[in-house]
Amino acid sequence: MAERIAQVDNQGGRRASLAGETSTRRQPVVLVLRLLGGVLLYTLLILLAGIMIMPLVWMLSTASKPLGEATSVVFHLIPKEFTLWENITVAFGRQPFALYIYNSAIVAISITVGQVLISALAGYSFAKFRFPGRDLLFMGVLSTMMVPFFVVIIPLYIVVYSLGWLDTYWALIVPGLVSAFGIFLMRQFMTSIPDELIDAARIDGSHEVRTFFQIALPLAKPALSTLAILSFMGSWDGYVWPLMVINDRSMMTLPLGLTVFRSSYITYWNELMAMALIGVIPTFTIFFIFQRQFVEGVAITGLKG
């Protein structure tokens, strides 16, 4: 019996040693495969990043050239003569771009503040209050996200026209104050706030408005930052709706001003790209400043609720 046990132990030891030798031989192969996979992955990511950033590089290059070089058939990435500041100065002299930027800032800031506040109030109500038809009403709000904007643009234009809001800030701001996506985003985040915290504030005598502004909103900063960034970028770059409701040049936003800058006879592409470069600076600045809050808000809202 002892001899059999010894034989079994010897066989097990041989198998273990063989398995160890096999795993030892496979380790270099596995490391090489992982290294090749990492190299291929990062190469693909770098290529995709280059493709995505190339339009911005082309815009910066064209904005820094004289008109003759900008419209030349032979493209040079690095300008032979750097004239970015001159192009910006001349462009401001040709069109009232300062007024266009001012209009865009008024519209973008107003829509951002209003949309964040309304979405936060609605999201808090859907998450922390129980009332008849709450879930049905929330599903109705979500269903509007499936309706393309171009389906409702004509009825919306008729409403704005009936109210006499054409060529006014009201036409540019009011339709963008309510966002179904913003309500959904805030509701998903508000559900992650413990009900015990809200109930404790109510027991201490805090009314609902104070509870919302002093407890719910400070805890919802990541989601608020995310919604603010998305709202500002969408309203700053908006083109189709302002094109529908604005005919007066004094009320045009920057995207509309850039289209007016084009001429049937000649287009100053270097100056046009210089103004487009100025137009992307606010969105880039806001995104890079609040990048951490944006990523945190998207991650938390997607995992909770």
Side-chain angles (χ1 to χ4, degrees):
M1 186 68 179
E3 294 177 357
R4 292 181 180 178
I5 294 175
Q7 290 178 358
V8 172
D9 292 338
N10 291 332
Q11 291 177 357
R14 292 175 182 175
R15 292 176 182 175
S17 61
L18 290 174
E21 292 177 0
T22 304
S23 61
T24 304
R25 293 174 182 175
R26 289 180 179 177
Q27 283 182 357
V29 178
V30 173
L31 292 176
V32 171
L33 291 177
R34 289 181 179 177
L35 180 61
L36 290 176
V39 171
L40 291 176
L41 177 61
Y42 280 102
T43 302
L44 179 61
L45 292 176
I46 291 173
L47 290 176
L48 293 176
I51 293 173
M52 295 181 65
I53 203 174
M54 191 59 197
L56 181 62
V57 174
W58 179 83
M59 179 177 65
L60 179 61
S61 176
T62 305
S64 305
K65 298 175 180 178
L67 180 61
E69 186 179 353
T71 56
S72 176
V73 178
V74 181
F75 178 76
H76 298 282
L77 184 62
I78 300 177
K80 297 179 180 179
E81 182 182 356
F82 190 81
T83 59
L84 177 60
W85 180 249
E86 290 81 355
N87 295 336
I88 294 175
T89 305
V90 175
F92 269 96
R94 295 185 191 276
Q95 290 287 337
F97 279 107
L99 180 61
Y100 299 156
I101 295 174
Y102 173 79
N103 292 335
S104 293
I106 292 295
V107 172
I109 293 174
S110 301
I111 290 178
T112 301
V113 173
Q115 193 174 119
V116 168
L117 181 59
I118 293 174
S119 298
L121 287 168
Y124 180 77
S125 301
F126 281 122
K128 298 303 178 184
F129 289 99
R130 296 186 178 275
F131 51 88
R134 182 192 66 173
D135 296 337
L136 183 62
L137 181 60
F138 183 66
M139 292 301 296
V141 172
L142 291 183
S143 64
T144 61
M145 297 176 61
M146 296 183 290
V147 180
F149 175 70
F150 295 99
V151 175
V152 300
I153 192 170
I154 299 301
L156 191 60
Y157 176 84
I158 294 174
V159 172
V160 171
Y161 175 79
S162 301
L163 293 173
W165 285 355
L166 295 181
D167 291 325
T168 63
Y169 286 125
W170 297 105
L172 295 172
I173 296 173
V174 174
L177 292 178
V178 180
S179 169
F181 171 77
I183 295 174
F184 168 74
L185 183 71
M186 296 307 303
R187 186 261 181 190
Q188 292 299 103
F189 191 91
M190 291 294 183
T191 54
S192 66
I193 299 177
D195 294 335
E196 293 79 6
L197 189 62
I198 305 298
D199 294 336
R202 292 169 179 169
I203 293 174
D204 290 340
S206 176
H207 52 80
E208 295 298 338
V209 177
R210 182 179 178 183
T211 302
F212 172 75
F213 282 101
Q214 293 188 356
I215 296 178
L217 279 189
L219 294 175
K221 283 183 179 180
L224 293 173
S225 301
T226 302
L227 181 58
I229 292 173
L230 295 176
S231 176
F232 183 86
M233 293 176 65
S235 55
W236 179 270
D237 297 331
Y239 175 74
V240 176
W241 179 246
L243 182 65
M244 293 283 294
V245 297
I246 298 298
N247 293 316
D248 186 0
R249 288 200 174 188
S250 63
M251 292 299 302
M252 285 185 175
T253 57
L254 184 58
L256 292 183
L258 292 176
T259 60
V260 174
F261 193 71
R262 297 185 59 183
S263 173
S264 301
Y265 301 99
I266 183 173
T267 300
Y268 299 93
W269 290 105
N270 53 341
E271 300 171 14
L272 183 64
M273 291 297 105
M275 298 313 303
L277 183 64
I278 291 179
V280 301
I281 290 177
T283 54
F284 271 64
T285 303
I286 290 177
F287 180 79
F288 281 114
I289 291 176
F290 298 101
Q291 183 179 8
R292 178 179 299 178
Q293 291 84 348
F294 177 78
V295 175
E296 181 182 355
V298 172
I300 294 177
T301 306
L303 293 176
K304 294 184 179 181

